[in-house]
Amino acid sequence: MLTAEQRSIIKATVPLLESGGEALTTHFYTMMLSEYPEVRPLFNQAHQASGDQPRALANGVLMYARHIDQLEQLGGLVGQIINKHVALQILPEHYPIVGGCLLRAIKEVLGEEIATPAVIDAWGAAYGQLADILIGAEEGLYRQKQEAAGGWRGSREFRLVRREQESSEIVSFYFAPVDGKPVLKADPGQYIGLQVFIDGVEHRRNYSLSALCDGEQYRISVKREAEGKVSNYLHDELKVGDSVPMFPPAGDFTLADGDKPLVLISGGVGITPTLAMLEAALQGERPVHFIHCARNGAVHAFADWIDGLAARHPQLKRFYCYAEDDGSQRATAVGLLSQEQLEQWLPQERDVDAYFLGPKGFMAAVKRHLKGLGVPEQQSRYEFFGPAAALE
């Protein structure tokens, strides 16, 4: 339990974190990943190189410091962290490594005049408090997944039983458990953790489940990224019959029950979790407006499948927006998705449940558009594929 003095010290460091938090977390990651190779598989090196991971951690540390007196004000951030950790199998033994490196980074970046023994002691206590919260919550989630029907704990071997080319950039991979037993049913919108070894080096990645789970297999749909070590490995090397370890489904960005009109908006490979949401929604009579944005028809995945659903389900309306005019007859509109265009595609009644995913800039624009069109902010939901960030 933090003392009143320690809380005051933490809050006093907020201005320093606002101005120098990213430099601190960049130094932290450089130090930790060089000195503790056992934690490297837990971090996507592309996110390190782009600065996304240090920025996300800096924002998380800042939010924690700001709300040290009222941690409930962190809202959904804690749930997002817990689910990401469970999907990657973050364990209690990892926390002392992170804590030790974080305190060293504070001391080395801020200097001894600012990072006094009292400051280090306060941040040590604050980190210990946060670690205890996360470890306890993660253990509860690990146990829940282990005890559920078809569930397991840790890694479980899955075999690739089918792969399908969905567009020029996206391939779907269907996995079934090697042991032949049932698998944990995932909620629409959740993701799995995948463990792969490339040239003897371990990598862990989260991938959204792109189809409703039938209790027998999982499907993920992966876009080839130019610098993506794992995505290129999956596209080029993983063959039907190969097996990979997989961690249980996780994620709190899931389709909530309701009878309000549902609006699903996606950009690029952000379409993947919305596919499972769409399947689930169409099991009832709920009106669904499905809006997908792609660069062009060549990279537009799952169009035939969605068109087929629309033909069979009159409550589904689908709209496609292509950034490039490729002459396709499939595009409903050409150009970037504007508020004016979105207004035409939304239900007239703005009391809707909206879910949106895609590149950060795309999501920031969609969030602005929905707010401008009167969709209640608490009914406008989104999630990041990579490290969490603010949509400003």
Side-chain angles (χ1 to χ4, degrees):
M1 196 71 177
L2 272 72
T3 66
E5 181 181 1
Q6 288 171 332
R7 291 176 187 274
S8 296
I9 290 173
I10 295 298
K11 287 187 285 187
T13 61
V14 167
L16 296 172
L17 295 173
E18 289 174 335
S19 61
E22 194 173 329
L24 190 155
T25 55
T26 298
H27 182 64
F28 156 78
Y29 278 118
T30 300
M31 176 200 313
M32 183 177 68
L33 296 178
S34 64
E35 296 182 13
Y36 296 93
E38 63 268 34
V39 302
R40 288 178 195 161
L42 306 176
F43 298 93
N44 187 327
Q45 297 306 305
H47 294 154
Q48 296 293 329
S50 69
D52 287 346
Q53 189 74 59
R55 277 191 292 275
L57 178 60
N59 181 63
V61 171
L62 176 59
M63 294 294 288
Y64 181 53
R66 280 178 177 165
H67 301 293
I68 196 69
D69 286 330
Q70 296 176 300
L71 295 183
E72 66 275 8
Q73 295 297 316
L74 293 174
L77 180 61
V78 174
Q80 292 173 23
I81 292 171
I82 290 166
N83 277 276
K84 292 283 187 182
H85 283 187
V86 168
L88 291 171
Q89 298 291 291
I90 304 294
L91 301 174
E93 55 262 35
H94 296 131
Y95 281 89
I97 295 174
V98 173
C101 290
L102 182 61
L103 295 181
R104 279 178 56 194
I106 292 173
K107 187 181 298 184
E108 293 174 9
V109 172
L110 299 184
E112 292 185 0
E113 289 188 9
I114 297 175
T116 63
V119 169
I120 296 301
D121 179 65
W123 267 104
Y127 176 80
Q129 172 183 269
L130 181 60
D132 288 344
I133 292 171
L134 296 179
I135 289 171
E138 287 157 15
E139 171 56 30
L141 202 49
Y142 284 131
R143 190 182 308 117
Q144 176 187 325
K145 293 180 182 301
Q146 180 181 15
E147 295 173 356
W152 71 98
R153 188 178 186 124
S155 65
R156 182 178 176 185
E157 206 72 15
F158 278 72
R159 181 175 290 113
L160 181 65
V161 296
R162 177 183 165 197
R163 50 180 290 162
E164 289 284 338
Q165 192 79 39
E166 307 289 3
S167 76
S168 63
E169 297 179 333
I170 295 176
V171 172
S172 285
F173 300 87
Y174 296 74
F175 292 97
V178 171
D179 60 22
K181 297 179 180 178
V183 298
L184 180 67
K185 287 196 174 182
D187 294 327
Q190 288 192 310
Y191 46 81
I192 52 89
L194 208 62
Q195 183 183 35
V196 299
F197 295 85
I198 305 172
D199 298 327
V201 178
E202 180 188 356
H203 302 267
R204 299 186 189 186
R205 294 290 187 273
N206 294 334
Y207 290 107
S208 296
L209 293 167
S210 60
L212 275 182
C213 176
D214 60 3
E216 297 179 359
Q217 60 180 230
Y218 296 128
R219 184 182 80 177
I220 61 174
S221 302
V222 181
K223 176 187 175 185
R224 183 194 293 275
E225 301 288 352
E227 303 299 324
K229 185 174 286 289
V230 176
S231 70
N232 280 281
Y233 169 81
L234 295 176
H235 275 244
D236 297 334
E237 303 295 333
L238 196 67
K239 304 294 189 295
V240 171
D242 292 345
S243 62
V244 294
M246 190 177 291
F247 308 127
D252 61 355
F253 177 73
T254 55
L255 182 65
D257 292 333
D259 55 8
K260 291 182 173 64
L262 176 64
V263 178
L264 300 172
I265 308 173
S266 56
V269 75
I271 195 174
T272 51
T274 68
L275 300 174
M277 292 180 175
L278 178 60
E279 278 189 272
L282 291 179
Q283 292 179 355
E285 299 300 320
R286 188 178 190 182
V288 181
H289 289 233
F290 189 93
I291 300 167
H292 181 63
C293 302
R295 290 199 316 277
N296 53 51
V299 299
H300 182 183
F302 302 103
D304 289 339
W305 181 76
I306 293 167
D307 288 348
L309 288 178
R312 298 192 300 275
H313 297 272
Q315 76 267 37
L316 170 60
K317 297 181 179 180
R318 85 284 184 268
F319 308 92
Y320 306 136
C321 184
Y322 290 176
E324 302 167 356
D325 187 356
D326 61 358
S328 171
Q329 299 302 306
R330 183 164 258 157
T332 317
V334 174
L336 299 182
L337 182 63
S338 65
Q339 183 170 315
E340 292 72 26
Q341 186 65 75
L342 187 58
E343 183 176 22
Q344 296 179 30
W345 293 343
L346 286 181
Q348 287 191 343
E349 172 56 54
R350 300 298 192 238
D351 185 20
V352 302
D353 287 327
Y355 296 76
F356 58 96
L357 299 100
K360 181 180 176 182
F362 170 83
M363 291 200 297
V366 171
K367 184 180 181 184
R368 281 196 311 273
H369 297 341
L370 290 173
K371 182 178 181 181
L373 293 171
V375 175
E377 286 196 69
Q378 69 272 19
Q379 293 166 214
S380 180
R381 306 174 179 93
Y382 61 91
E383 184 177 58
F384 289 91
F385 279 139
L391 281 188
E392 302 296 343

